């Protein structure tokens, strides 16, 4: 029902001859890409040839196959929370398995994401800024929209190149069927529909502990709008299904309440399912793409807590140590199954940590200022590692700017699947394979990033300089520039020093970006009936959807 246009071709050869997907038809990028290409195009041609030769050599030694790919995207972590034992010690946290992994991997030290969960995940999956399809915001409860079916996801690109695809864990790209992973290119998926707002911040135990206020602690005699306060247990929780098959909610029965115990069970089951999917995929005869997107370390209640305890003692810090144990088991299983050497593993955070819960969580801004939802560096700079034994130098660093959307294009290239990236729309992600494979920042194809908050551009980073864009009606000459090498907390503007020569240049970057949007306009997210397509909806969930639809219809009365 939700197949994409490019999936309708009867054979790969027909796809390759299509003008939308022909390999000799360039991918359409944003304006700044072409400015860099004009200056570095000849070198890029040489770099492309060197990358092709290296990938061909790998395939020759891997029975003709491209690498497997495993993506692990961790929720709400501050920069420096993973991979550095010295910073672990400063914080009172131990993550030995992640630290060992970082020693085997390359740290992409200037990885930029989006400010919150949904837009980062959309950018990684589509290679496009989420504003381009109206997916720049993060929702908590029933919303009736999601990732459009005509977006071409990384899973769909890889699937067309012969990959088996599977997704486990968080998804958070919509509550309508069109947007779910099993309808967006994954052969199998088990994931939560919503996110931790429902699952750990306003579940029954969180309400009792006053992590959430105003949901049950009110005087009922004065309430006439029973639909104002969401019931987290009435919302659909975790779904499971295969592409084209039935979709069912799992581990919830009619009348059952959602609480901290259910949250812990869900996270444990995601871990077990990720392991079983790894085992199943490793036993197949095709390369595989496995996404494991855990929902911990976010955990907002003391109720029923067990597992490792950190010296830090924070709720998130303790669960980060549990996640470290989980990932250690996953990495060991890759070794046992004999797939570690021919598998690319990307491990990273999705945005800065949840500073709203900093005292309780044990996470605070350390390297950069700000966190989740902010357009400061602390909101969009994350720990990010990529491991590919024998192909990517172990314990190395690249310091060029990489945006999360670049993973879409780069992983497609490394998999030999870039011919299936669509050519009928603008793709923001650029191919960073030369920079990563050769550990050479000078081979980057990105030198800037435009940071959005929902649908508005708020900052531009170029090289080591950052401009916080002035708001409507504010004088451009009062805008703040920062040197983020010298001033990681963005406290000391260098506006006069930079603005005198650079102010206009930064504005031109934004102007070209906005002009390009007129050629490739932003569109809307897909909209529909929440949860439609789930076979076993609970009665309370049906009632919650009916209430939502009634509230929507009130606009047109």
């Amino acid at each position: 029902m939700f197949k994409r246009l490019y999936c309708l071709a009867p054979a790969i050869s027909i796809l390759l001859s299509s003008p939308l997907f022909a390999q000799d038809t360039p991918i359409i990028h944003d304006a700044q890409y072409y400015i860099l290409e004009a200056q570095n195009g000849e070198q890029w041609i040489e770099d492309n040839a060197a990358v092709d030769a290296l990938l061909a050599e790998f395939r020759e030694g891997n029975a003709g196959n491209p690498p497997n790919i495993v993506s692990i995207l961790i929720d709400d972590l501050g920069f420096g929370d993973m991979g550095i034992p010295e910073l672990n010690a400063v914080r009172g946290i131990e993550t030995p398995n992640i630290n060992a992994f970082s020693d085997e991997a390359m740290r992409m030290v200037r990885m930029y994401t989006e400010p919150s969960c949904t837009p980062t995940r959309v950018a990684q999956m589509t290679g496009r800024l989420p504003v381009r399809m109206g997916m720049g915001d993060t929702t908590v409860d029933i919303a009736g929209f999601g990732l459009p079916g005509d977006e071409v996801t990384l899973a769909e690109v890889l699937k067309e190149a012969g990959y088996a695809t599977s997704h486990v864990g968080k998804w958070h790209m919509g509550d309508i069927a069109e947007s779910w992973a099993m309808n967006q290119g994954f052969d199998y998926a088990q994931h939560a529909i919503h996110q931790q707002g429902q699952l750990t911040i306003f579940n029954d135990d969180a309400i009792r502990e006053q992590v959430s206020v105003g949901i049950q602690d009110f005087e009922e005699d004065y309430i006439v709008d029973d639909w104002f306060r969401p019931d987290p247990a009435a919302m659909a929780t975790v779904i499971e299904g295969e592409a084209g098959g039935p979709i069912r909610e799992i581990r919830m029965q009619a009348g059952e309440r959602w609480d901290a115990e259910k949250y812990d069970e869900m996270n444990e089951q995601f871990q077990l399912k990720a392991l079983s999917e790894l085992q199943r995929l490793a036993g197949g005869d095709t390369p595989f793409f496995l996404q494991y997107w855990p929902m911990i370390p976010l955990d907002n209640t003391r109720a029923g807590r067990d597992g490792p305890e950190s010296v830090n003692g924070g709720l998130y810090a303790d669960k980060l140590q549990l996640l470290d144990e989980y990932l250690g088991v996953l990495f060991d299983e890759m070794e046992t199954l004999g797939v570690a050497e021919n598998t690319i593993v990307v491990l990273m955070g999705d945005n800065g940590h949840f500073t709203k819960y900093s005292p309780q969580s044990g996470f605070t801004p350390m390297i950069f200022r700000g966190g989740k939802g902010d357009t400061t560096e602390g909101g969009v700079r994350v720990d990010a590692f990529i491991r590919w034994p024998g192909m990517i130098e172990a314990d190395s660093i690249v310091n060029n700017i990489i945006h999360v959307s670049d993973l879409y294009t780069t992983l497609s290239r490394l998999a030999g699947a870039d011919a299936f990236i669509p050519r009928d729309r603008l793709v923001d992600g650029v191919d960073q394979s030369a920079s990563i494979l050769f550990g050479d920042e000078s081979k980057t194809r990105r030198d800037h990033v435009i940071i959005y908050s929902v649908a508005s551009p708020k900052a531009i980073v170029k090289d080591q300089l950052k401009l916080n864009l002035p708001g409507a009606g504010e004088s451009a000459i009062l805008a703040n520039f920062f040197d983020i090498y010298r001033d990681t907390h963005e406290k000391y503007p260098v506006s006069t020093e930079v603005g005198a020569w650079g102010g206009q240049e930064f504005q031109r970057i934004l102007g070209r970006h906005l002009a390009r949007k007129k050629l490739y306009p932003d569109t809307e997210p897909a909209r529909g009936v929440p949860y439609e397509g789930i076979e076993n909806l609970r009665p309370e969930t049906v009632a919650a959807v009916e209430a939502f639809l009634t509230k929507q219809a009130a606009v047109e009365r």
Side-chain angles (χ1 to χ4, degrees):
M1 181 166 57
F2 301 109
K3 287 185 178 179
R4 313 301 182 266
L5 175 63
Y6 81 97
C7 292
L8 299 177
I12 289 176
S13 60
I14 295 178
L15 278 168
L16 291 176
S17 64
S18 165
L20 297 186
F21 297 90
Q23 195 164 12
D24 57 357
T25 301
I27 297 169
I28 301 168
H29 289 298
D30 209 348
Q32 187 67 16
Y33 176 87
Y34 300 108
I35 293 174
L36 298 185
E37 184 183 50
Q39 301 170 71
N40 302 281
E42 291 184 5
Q43 181 61 51
W44 289 1
I45 292 172
E46 294 182 15
D47 293 341
N48 287 341
V51 168
D52 288 341
L54 200 59
L55 296 179
E57 182 181 348
F58 172 83
R59 287 192 180 213
E60 185 177 350
N62 192 46
N65 293 318
N68 307 310
I69 300 172
V70 174
S71 165
I72 304 170
L73 188 63
I74 303 176
D75 214 39
D76 294 5
L77 286 176
F79 188 95
D81 286 331
M82 298 192 299
I84 304 175
E86 293 83 357
L87 292 185
N88 279 176
V90 167
R91 302 292 282 277
I93 304 170
E94 295 183 0
T95 59
N97 295 301
I98 295 173
N99 295 349
F101 177 86
S102 75
D103 289 341
E104 300 167 352
M106 169 181 283
R107 178 186 279 271
M108 297 175 284
V109 77
R110 293 195 71 188
M111 172 64 79
Y112 281 86
T113 63
E114 297 295 302
S116 62
C117 312
T118 296
T120 290
R121 293 159 199 273
V122 168
Q124 180 168 328
M125 278 288 90
T126 67
R128 286 154 49 81
L129 291 176
V131 69
R132 298 199 186 279
M133 75 294 295
M135 292 292 294
D137 203 0
T138 294
T139 62
V140 174
D141 59 359
I142 299 173
F145 72 89
L147 185 67
D150 59 4
E151 288 295 324
V152 180
T153 68
L154 177 59
E156 290 170 316
V157 170
L158 295 176
K159 194 170 179 177
E160 284 298 319
Y163 276 70
T165 57
S166 180
H167 177 89
V168 177
K170 186 166 180 171
W171 182 249
H172 200 197
M173 283 183 266
D175 60 3
I176 61 173
E178 183 174 350
S179 69
W180 298 334
M182 61 284 287
N183 294 324
Q184 288 280 358
F186 288 94
D187 301 321
Y188 167 85
Q190 181 185 129
H191 65 74
I193 291 181
H194 299 286
Q195 41 86 289
Q196 295 91 326
Q198 169 201 16
L199 299 168
T200 186
I201 293 176
F202 62 97
N203 66 49
D204 288 356
D205 287 317
I207 291 166
R208 279 189 287 272
E209 294 183 18
Q210 292 213 315
V211 174
S212 291
V213 175
I215 294 183
Q216 290 181 353
D217 49 346
F218 56 87
E219 178 53 62
E220 292 188 10
D221 290 346
Y222 300 128
I223 301 300
V224 294
D225 184 357
D226 291 331
W227 293 341
F228 173 64
R229 291 168 170 82
D231 179 359
M235 296 159 60
T237 55
V238 178
I239 57 173
E240 180 179 50
E242 297 180 356
I247 299 171
R248 298 181 62 83
E249 185 181 31
I250 58 176
R251 299 191 291 274
M252 279 291 280
Q253 302 299 320
E256 191 173 8
R257 301 299 301 173
W258 186 270
D259 56 18
E261 182 179 358
K262 298 291 291 184
Y263 185 69
D264 288 343
E265 177 193 18
M266 176 193 70
N267 284 298
E268 181 179 2
Q269 290 301 316
F270 281 157
Q271 167 72 5
L272 295 175
K273 177 54 71 172
L275 285 169
S276 67
E277 283 298 282
L278 175 64
Q279 293 160 357
R280 179 181 69 82
L281 293 166
D285 56 3
T286 61
F288 64 81
F289 174 44
L290 171 62
Q291 281 195 159
Y292 177 29
W293 290 358
M295 299 192 78
I296 53 174
L298 258 71
D299 191 312
N300 285 74
T301 64
R302 293 284 176 188
R305 292 181 66 80
D306 56 15
E309 296 183 4
S310 66
V311 175
N312 179 296
L315 298 170
Y316 297 3
D318 287 354
K319 290 300 184 182
L320 178 58
Q321 293 198 163
L322 176 60
L323 180 59
D324 181 77
E325 291 184 4
Y326 282 178
L327 295 184
V329 173
L330 188 73
F331 297 148
D332 287 346
E333 187 64 15
M334 291 178 67
E335 295 285 351
T336 299
L337 294 169
V339 297
E341 295 299 311
N342 65 342
T343 300
I344 299 170
V345 181
V346 177
L347 169 65
M348 60 181 284
D350 71 345
N351 47 249
H353 61 73
F354 208 164
T355 53
K356 176 178 173 57
Y357 290 102
S358 291
Q360 306 97 309
S361 75
F363 285 172
T364 56
M366 184 165 58
I367 308 298
F368 299 112
R369 179 167 67 89
K372 183 185 181 78
D374 296 327
T375 57
T376 54
E377 297 293 283
V380 293
R381 290 281 293 274
V382 298
D383 291 326
F385 310 93
I386 182 168
R387 185 184 76 176
W388 189 6
M391 294 290 288
I392 294 174
E393 183 180 357
D395 198 20
S396 61
I397 291 176
V398 286
N399 197 37
N400 50 285
I401 293 173
I402 299 175
H403 185 259
V404 62
S405 63
D406 297 345
L407 293 177
Y408 176 90
T409 318
T410 303
L411 292 175
S412 296
R413 174 73 187 286
L414 298 179
D418 48 320
F420 301 105
I421 293 174
R423 267 64 171 178
D424 64 340
R425 66 200 70 187
L426 193 148
V427 175
D428 294 284
V430 302
D431 176 16
Q432 300 278 24
S433 56
S435 174
I436 289 171
L437 287 175
F438 300 111
D440 187 345
E441 288 95 341
S442 71
K443 296 185 182 300
T444 186
R445 300 189 183 182
R446 175 187 295 279
D447 72 339
H448 87 296
V449 61
I450 298 174
I451 302 172
Y452 272 80
S453 177
V454 188
S456 301
K458 293 294 185 182
I460 300 174
V461 177
K462 185 174 173 67
D463 301 329
Q464 82 274 25
L465 300 174
K466 182 173 186 176
L467 168 65
N468 286 343
L469 293 165
E474 297 179 3
S475 173
I477 65 173
L478 299 179
N480 284 330
F481 282 92
F482 298 96
D483 183 333
I484 52 179
Y485 278 174
R486 299 181 182 182
D487 179 16
T488 59
H489 275 234
E490 299 168 65
K491 291 182 178 179
Y492 308 104
V494 288
S495 301
T496 301
E497 297 88 336
V498 174
W501 66 267
Q504 194 61 250
E505 289 302 318
F506 272 81
Q507 289 294 331
R508 287 168 179 157
I509 290 173
L510 179 62
R512 289 189 292 265
H513 169 73
L514 296 177
R516 195 89 169 127
K517 277 192 171 195
K518 293 181 179 179
L519 295 176
Y520 299 94
D522 296 344
T523 59
E524 291 292 312
R527 302 190 185 277
V529 177
Y531 310 149
E532 191 172 52
I534 299 176
E535 287 193 339
N536 59 333
L537 280 183
R538 292 170 283 132
E540 57 267 40
T541 308
V542 173
V545 171
E546 290 174 350
F548 168 78
L549 295 175
T550 300
K551 288 189 283 187
Q552 273 197 322
V555 176
E556 299 179 358
R557 291 294 296 270

